[in-house]
Structures are given as structure tokens and as C-alpha cells.
Amino acid sequence: MRSVAALLVVLALVPLAAAPARADDPICEELPDAEVEARLREVRGYVTQHEPDTRHWATAFLSLHLTMVGVQLSLAISADNEGAIVDGWVGTLSSTLGIATLLISWPSLIGAGDAIDELPTGTPEERRYALARAEQRMRRASDQVAYVRSPFTTILNALYVGAAGSFTLIGWGRVTGGYLLAAGGSVLSQTRVLLFPTGIREAWLRYHRAHPDAGCEPEALPAEASAPSVTVMPNGLGASLLVAF
């Protein structure tokens, strides 16, 4: 029984470790300042256009998972028979893992606009650096869309909900509860995937076709070229404090 429960946790967290890695990027080439400014405005415009949809998606599903945890936890506590208690606690665990995976893989597009605006742009060197960082943020958001919409994610979701339903069905003999958990989990997980906004992915592909050098690794700014800046970035279940000098 414990091994099946452990499998549920592992299958729920596998997508977090399976995101595609990227090799080291080449150093950015020096561009005319006018082109840098134009491209930085273009990237910022794409972020402004597509960030709200992603934020609404994340807020909606986080609220849904939190509501489901509250309802299922209440049912588990108030149930008067063992079968209903099992259904309630397994459902609570499943929804809690849904919250964990959402928070740990929080969309990188959320907060990208503020992060770009906080980058120093007072000199040509700073503007080139800001452009490279903005393009990298946009590329990461695009990569995240590609991963979420990939068949690999769909397969992992199917394995997870199947394991959760089997745990309830085989481990506790809850036929109705097991099938409901598997069916409901499948619908919710696939809805979460299918509704994940794809606009930033399409925008990045168009942008990268126009600018093949986009997303390169910028050279570090000299210490005297930029003032210190502090940025709070979402990171898993908490936040990261980025101090740049």
C-alpha cells in the first residue's frame, strides 16, 4: 500500500524534473543601438499582450485546486464510514499534489513584464544586456508552453490519475470512488493542459524567425555600468531574491 502511495507522489512530481534542458547559449553579438531599442520594445509588447492570459490561467486552476482540497478534506473529516474517508483523503492528496505541481512549475511569463522593466537601460551596453535577458525570459516561457502541450506531459498525467484510481480501487475496494477519481483526474489534468495559453509560444517562433540570434547569452555588465537592482522572482513554493550589481 505504501509503495502505491509513493508511486502517486513520484508520478505527480516527474514532470517537474523532466523539463527539457538547454545547452550553453552563444555570447550575443553587438547590435546597433537603434535595433536593440526596437527589439526590446517588441519583446516587451509581446509580454504585455500574453502575460494576462497566463496569469488568469494560473489563478483559475490554483483557485480550483484549493477549492477541491477544501471540499475533499471536509468530506474526509465528516465521513462516517471507512470507504468515504478513504475517498476523501485520497482526493485531498491528489488535489494537494495538483497545487504543488502548479506552484513548482509556475509559468515563467508571469512577472516577466515587471522583471524586464526593472532592468537598467541607461546606456547602450545596458540596453543590449536588457534585450538579451528579455529574450531569454520570452524563450523560457515559449519552452514551457511546448513542454506542457507535449505528448510526454499527457502520458504522465494519464499514468498519475491511473495510479491514483488503482490505489483507491485495488487497495481499498472502492470501485465507484476509484473510477470517479481516475475519470475526474483525467478531465481536470487534460483541461489544465489544453487551456494553457499558447500565445507566447507563437509569438516567440515568429520573433525568432525574424531574429535568429535571439535568446543568446549576454556578456556581464561592468560593475560601473549599472546600478544595483533587486528583483523578487517566483521560485517553486516560495520566492527568490535576485540582487544585481
Side-chain angles (χ1 to χ4, degrees):
M1 200 74 67
R2 292 179 180 176
S3 61
V4 177
L7 177 61
L8 298 183
V9 177
V10 170
L11 288 175
L13 298 180
V14 162
L16 309 179
R22 183 182 293 273
D24 292 338
D25 298 306
I27 298 297
C28 298
E29 297 180 2
E30 188 168 327
L31 299 172
D33 193 49
E35 181 179 350
V36 170
E37 290 184 320
R39 284 170 59 168
L40 187 56
R41 287 193 299 270
E42 185 178 359
V43 172
R44 185 63 179 88
Y46 285 135
V47 171
T48 299
Q49 179 182 357
H50 297 291
E51 184 179 0
D53 290 341
T54 304
R55 189 183 299 276
H56 294 156
W57 174 90
T59 301
F61 278 97
L62 181 60
S63 300
L64 177 59
H65 284 301
L66 287 171
T67 300
M68 292 177 65
V69 167
V71 171
Q72 291 163 336
L73 184 59
S74 298
L75 292 175
I77 294 174
S78 62
D80 56 2
N81 63 83
E82 185 182 38
I85 292 173
V86 170
D87 291 345
W89 281 113
V90 173
T92 300
L93 173 61
S94 181
S95 295
T96 301
L97 289 175
I99 294 173
T101 58
L102 179 60
L103 292 177
I104 295 173
S105 58
W106 194 251
S108 60
L109 186 60
I110 297 178
D114 291 338
I116 293 172
D117 290 342
E118 291 172 0
L119 292 168
T121 56
T123 68
E125 292 79 9
E126 289 176 340
R127 287 190 285 275
R128 286 196 297 269
Y129 183 86
L131 173 63
R133 288 302 181 211
E135 289 176 344
Q136 288 181 336
R137 187 69 177 259
M138 185 179 174
R139 185 193 65 191
R140 288 198 301 271
S142 171
D143 289 345
Q144 191 170 30
V145 173
Y147 177 70
V148 169
R149 290 298 193 95
S150 69
F152 182 68
T153 301
T154 300
I155 292 171
L156 286 175
N157 285 337
L159 289 174
Y160 168 68
V161 297
S166 298
F167 174 72
T168 305
L169 175 63
I170 299 173
W172 297 92
R174 299 290 293 173
V175 178
T176 301
Y179 281 113
L180 285 176
L181 180 60
S186 296
V187 171
L188 179 58
S189 63
Q190 291 309 307
T191 301
R192 183 167 138 175
V193 167
L194 292 175
L195 292 182
F196 193 86
T198 61
I200 196 64
R201 173 69 176 172
E202 297 161 2
W204 169 254
L205 293 176
R206 289 195 305 270
Y207 180 85
H208 193 258
R209 282 194 296 268
H211 309 289
D213 61 330
C216 55
E217 181 64 30
E219 293 183 355
L221 284 171
E224 67 273 15
S226 61
S229 65
V230 179
T231 305
V232 179
M233 304 289 290
N235 182 16
L237 299 178
S240 296
L241 186 66
L242 174 63
V243 182
F245 296 92

